[in-house]
Structures are given as C-alpha cells and as structure tokens.
C-alpha cells in the first residue's frame, strides 16, 4: 500500500510507533504517534493524551518558525526524541529526559519542534562541524569532522572522546 501524501523518499526511519522520512529534496516528513513531541510538528502533547498523525506531515523548522524544513542531511530517531543534521549543525526535538535534547535547559521536558543542540565550546554556541548523529532512549551522540564523539543525555560518564582509527 502506498503511503498517501508523500513525495519520493530517499531515506526512512521507523522507531517506537513513529516514522521519519527525508524526501528527495531534503524535506523532512513525520507520521505516527507523538507522545513526546518527536514528530516535530509544533505540538507538545498533554501528559494524558497521545497525539498522532495518520498521514505524513512536514516537520517544522527550528524554533517553530514555519512548516517544512528542507536541506536535511540526516536524522536519527531515538525512542522519544529525534536528532537532525543540517549543514553540519545538530538539532533535537521530543523528550528532554536526562537532557537528551542537549538544549541546555533541563527544566524543558518536551520540545515539539527542532531546536539547536548547544555546545558552549563552539564559538557559534551550537554543536557544529558534525558528520554523523545517533540517538538512543535518553541519550544522543554526534561525530565531529575531526573524529571527536560528543555525547549528551543519559550517557555513562562519557562527554567527549576522540575516535582513533
């Protein structure tokens, strides 16, 4: 069965009741359950309500400024949060349990749209020069172009290491 309302897709990920896809123009799409804001459509579900979208919808741009985020290089769906990579910069949305979103605000429990991942050691203040991303349950990882692995969220005492080939 063909998924309705979806243009040609170049990458797709299925995780914990929701699906994320990048179309051939780099536009990011999402559908399925949204218990933690992981669809990135600008909503933050109430704790007693499970939101869902039965058809693909366009993920909002960072800081919820508009609908339809293009130019995505990669996405990494975790169980309750998602990481996105665009122009070497990392963005996150969904559940911030244990700081999985890396936004520097542990009081922010959910974010229903992409927000920049903070890196105080980067002059821009945002995690940059990233070539790969990965997300787990409440943890997130990025590999920088120099081979450094950056971790945040619920990680076993790992914050920054360098990978040696």
């Amino acid at each position: 069965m063909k998924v309705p309302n979806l243009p040609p897709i170049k990458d797709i990920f299925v995780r914990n009741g929701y699906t994320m896809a990048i179309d051939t123009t780099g536009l990011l799409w999402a559908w399925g359950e949204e218990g933690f804001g992981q669809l990135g459509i600008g909503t933050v579900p109430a704790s007693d309500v499970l939101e869902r979208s039965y058809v693909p919808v366009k993920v909002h741009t960072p800081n919820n400024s508009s609908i339809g985020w293009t130019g995505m290089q990669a996405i990494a769906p975790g169980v309750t949060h998602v990481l996105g990579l665009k122009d070497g910069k990392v963005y996150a949305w969904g559940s911030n349990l244990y700081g999985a979103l890396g936004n520097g605000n542990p009081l922010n429990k959910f974010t229903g749209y992409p927000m920049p991942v903070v890196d105080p050691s980067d002059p821009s203040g945002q995690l940059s020069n990233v070539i790969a991303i990965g997300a787990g349950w409440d943890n997130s990882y990025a590999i920088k172009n120099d081979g450094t692995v950056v971790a945040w969220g619920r990680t076993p005492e790992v914050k920054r290491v360098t990978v040696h080939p």
Side-chain angles (χ1 to χ4, degrees), residues 77-131:
V79 175
T80 59
H81 73 291
V82 179
L83 300 179
L85 181 63
K86 181 177 178 176
D87 300 326
K89 295 183 178 181
V90 182
Y91 299 84
W93 59 98
S95 171
N96 195 32
L97 189 61
Y98 299 105
L101 299 183
N103 62 15
N105 184 357
L107 299 177
N108 184 356
K109 295 182 181 179
F110 304 103
T111 299
Y113 49 85
M115 294 190 65
V117 172
V118 174
D119 183 356
S121 67
D122 190 292
S124 72
Q126 183 176 355
L127 185 56
S128 312
N129 300 312
V130 172
I131 58 171

Side-chain angles (χ1 to χ4, degrees), residues 12-31:
I12 193 164
F13 303 87
V14 178
R15 183 74 182 235
N16 200 37
Y18 70 100
T19 303
M20 306 290 297
I22 302 174
D23 72 21
T24 55
T25 69
L27 187 62
L28 188 53
W29 296 83
W31 64 97

Side-chain angles (χ1 to χ4, degrees), residues 1-159:
M1 173 192 291
K2 181 180 186 285
V3 176
N5 305 323
L6 199 59
I9 296 299
K10 69 176 182 178
D11 217 344
I12 193 164
F13 303 87
V14 178
R15 183 74 182 235
N16 200 37
Y18 70 100
T19 303
M20 306 290 297
I22 302 174
D23 72 21
T24 55
T25 69
L27 187 62
L28 188 53
W29 296 83
W31 64 97
E33 294 179 357
E34 177 168 76
F36 303 96
Q38 69 269 33
L39 293 186
I41 57 175
T43 59
V44 177
S47 61
D48 60 344
V49 177
L50 179 63
E51 304 286 336
R52 62 181 49 94
S53 174
Y54 294 105
V55 296
V57 291
K58 296 174 186 174
V59 173
H60 289 206
T61 57
N63 299 314
N64 209 22
S65 58
S66 64
I67 298 172
W69 196 19
T70 60
M72 294 302 300
Q73 293 169 266
I75 53 174
V79 175
T80 59
H81 73 291
V82 179
L83 300 179
L85 181 63
K86 181 177 178 176
D87 300 326
K89 295 183 178 181
V90 182
Y91 299 84
W93 59 98
S95 171
N96 195 32
L97 189 61
Y98 299 105
L101 299 183
N103 62 15
N105 184 357
L107 299 177
N108 184 356
K109 295 182 181 179
F110 304 103
T111 299
Y113 49 85
M115 294 190 65
V117 172
V118 174
D119 183 356
S121 67
D122 190 292
S124 72
Q126 183 176 355
L127 185 56
S128 312
N129 300 312
V130 172
I131 58 171
I133 50 177
W137 191 284
D138 298 317
N139 51 4
S140 303
Y141 296 88
I143 300 173
K144 298 186 78 157
N145 59 10
D146 65 359
T148 301
V149 175
V150 180
W152 62 97
R154 190 175 203 175
T155 58
E157 299 184 28
V158 174
K159 292 299 176 201

